[in-house]
Amino acid sequence: MLLQFHPWASAVEAPFWQLLTQRKMDVFKLDDSPKPVLGYYSTGQQVRVPGKDTSVALPARLCLGTGAFPDGTDPEQHQAGRIPAFTFPAPGIVKNTNTIEDFKSIDKTALFKMAVDQIWDDITSGRAALDPSLLNRFLLLTFADLKKFKFYYWFAFPALQADPAWTADTMQEITLAFSPVQVNNLRLGLDQYRQAHPSSQWGFFLVRESQDGMSVARLQDWNEFFAGCDESQMIIGFADPSSLDSHPGWPLRNLLALLQHQWKVTKVRVLCLREVPGKQDIGSSKLFTAHVPSYVPVSACPKAVGWEKNAQGKLGPRLADLAPLMDPARLADTAVNLNLKLMRWRLLPDLQLEKVQETRCLLLGAGTLGCYVARSLLGWGVRNITFVDNAKVSFSNPVRQPLFEFEDCLEGGKDKATTAAASLRKVYPGVNAVGHALSIPMPGHPISSQLYESAQKDVATLEELFRQHDAIFLLMDSRESRWLPTLLGARMKKIVINAALGFDTFLVMRHGVGQDREHHISSESAPLGCYFCNDIVAPTDVSEHTMVSLSDRTLDQQCTVTRPGLSAIASAMAVEMMVSLLHHPDGVRAPADKADGEGGREDRAQDQQGSTLGLLPHQIRGFLSRFKNLLISGQAYDRCTACSDAILGAYEQEGFGFLAKVFEDAKHLEDVTGLTKMKEESEGLDMEWAEDSEGEDIDEDM
């Protein structure tokens, strides 16, 4: 029967058009001369239809991807490094016209003839025998509309026509033609062949069948390799992109032309190599015999075919409208989403990426912790991040805070919050990052009459920011600055993640939502505490790093003195805790898990009621000097100065008036919560105990 071939189907990856755009803008400019490109293809495969006992043959695709153009720093970059694993190279040329009129009016016949002549010259000169990948030469004609991100293109895959035409017998699987031992020897021989030779040799090869096994060699070794062989032992092989049972792929056409011209072949056994990538399975490969009636010497270039048909099945160009993809910001968005989705596809099917992405995060503090937390949130695909900080960028900041640069420190320094937001948008344009230069009033820091109205506005702004966001990160460098945000978080029942640093220790914790008795009674769990629930005094004018007055600190006490790597560790823990919390069915009210071996909830990660991502602790206390973390749980304190019912009730009733009293004197918190009375009662008991002890001593003396 007449030998027919499965034609190529072009498959252009979206990043190729981005590369072409960059080359056009930066390298080609108005130069529309043909430029070399490198395509690739894999062997044909058939895919089984789920739930049915049938298979679908995949098209024979010739692809252009990210390695199509040589690296600008290494023009002679090896082919194997530019194509994916388990694929074969196909060199080509791209002619990119400057206008759509040039694209339409260009002499396509002359262009095609140029490509055909090149292939014929490769065959007659012997270059194709030395580099068989040249048999796969192709032509790509393009016009790139860079304003609208539309790309007009037309592929040609020149194939020389044989006269007389080749015929073939029925194709059969190699498992029927060869023994299992021979098939295995062939597979091993092909593996060794590819390891021993460059990628330009991989797609075409010689096979010699013998009783001892199967040997593989290069085309250029024809005379030596087949010396003394019977015709039945000689096999010509090629990587076959076709997945059809009755037709080999397009590369065979030019291979047969080479065989006929170089070695005057009129009859040959053909191996169509079809392997499953990465699985060392060549059982789907086909074998048949091709022949022509006689050898007819050819001196002139034969006729050729090869222009690809469009989607309508007609000879004509195609259009790639990539406006939604080619915008670099959209490409970045796609890439970030794909990276995250790979986790869900491969590892965690229950990963709720959309929920994480839609979480609106408010970062109170744009210093070291704030910068690292923001970068980690970007890694998880969070799209809405707001910074709050009233400080300026100083010269010591950029080396520790990755969202700032040296230029940000000049002329007194830029606002940290707005600068961090702008820097974050540079890192990833798809993020909605906003900065607010805002002061957070603190207990024990009186407000002058001149600043009273300004403080009122700052509190109102902070309250509104809390309403607009879902997760709040407390990343400030003083204890009392966390008090008001803690109160607001408990009042609005927001996710509040707290991160604090010592010299070589850190604390990362999630706040509970106050007493919340109804929920915890029904779930038989204790409410979790906040940052202040372990205190029996009100937050005062003290730095959590230096433990001295914030208003009376020496130079060394004004700096956050921590080991440089500590903030990145704590920030990552804080973000991961938030993401784990989002995956818990109880959300912000999720109970605390303990570490393995501590009992109680060590199997929570495997429980359907727990977080998809594993354990969800209340507090993580890290000790860098010992490279150790402890998971700690603390209950809510009914006299807490930040989240107790008494404090929340007082704020509900008095509003800013209550806050003003606290700012004036932090001891007001102790009065409201009953801590003052408790201390007085405790002191009274101490005095009574002391008097009783003194009386007993007198009696003994007597």
Side-chain angles (χ1 to χ4, degrees), residues 355-361 382-384 470-471 578 582:
K355 185 175 183 179
V356 177
Q357 179 177 318
E358 294 169 1
T359 300
R360 297 163 297 178
C361 296
V382 174
R383 296 293 191 269
N384 294 280
D470 308 302
M578 181 205 77
L582 291 173

Side-chain angles (χ1 to χ4, degrees), residues 191-241:
D191 289 344
Q192 294 171 1
Y193 175 79
R194 280 181 279 204
Q195 292 174 10
H197 301 294
S199 59
S200 59
Q201 303 286 338
W202 296 352
F204 304 88
F205 49 88
L206 305 176
V207 178
R208 184 176 61 215
E209 180 184 3
S210 66
Q211 294 180 347
D212 298 330
M214 310 287 279
S215 303
V216 182
R218 299 174 297 176
L219 292 185
Q220 59 187 284
D221 299 326
W222 179 287
N223 295 329
E224 298 82 7
F225 187 68
F226 286 150
C229 286
D230 184 80
E231 186 178 79
S232 62
Q233 295 177 287
M234 301 166 58
I235 302 174
I236 183 72
F238 76 106
D240 187 8

Side-chain angles (χ1 to χ4, degrees), residues 23 67 69-79 81-82:
R23 293 279 170 148
F69 293 102
D71 188 346
T73 60
D74 184 13
E76 302 301 322
Q77 184 181 4
H78 196 273
Q79 285 184 346
R82 296 166 55 191

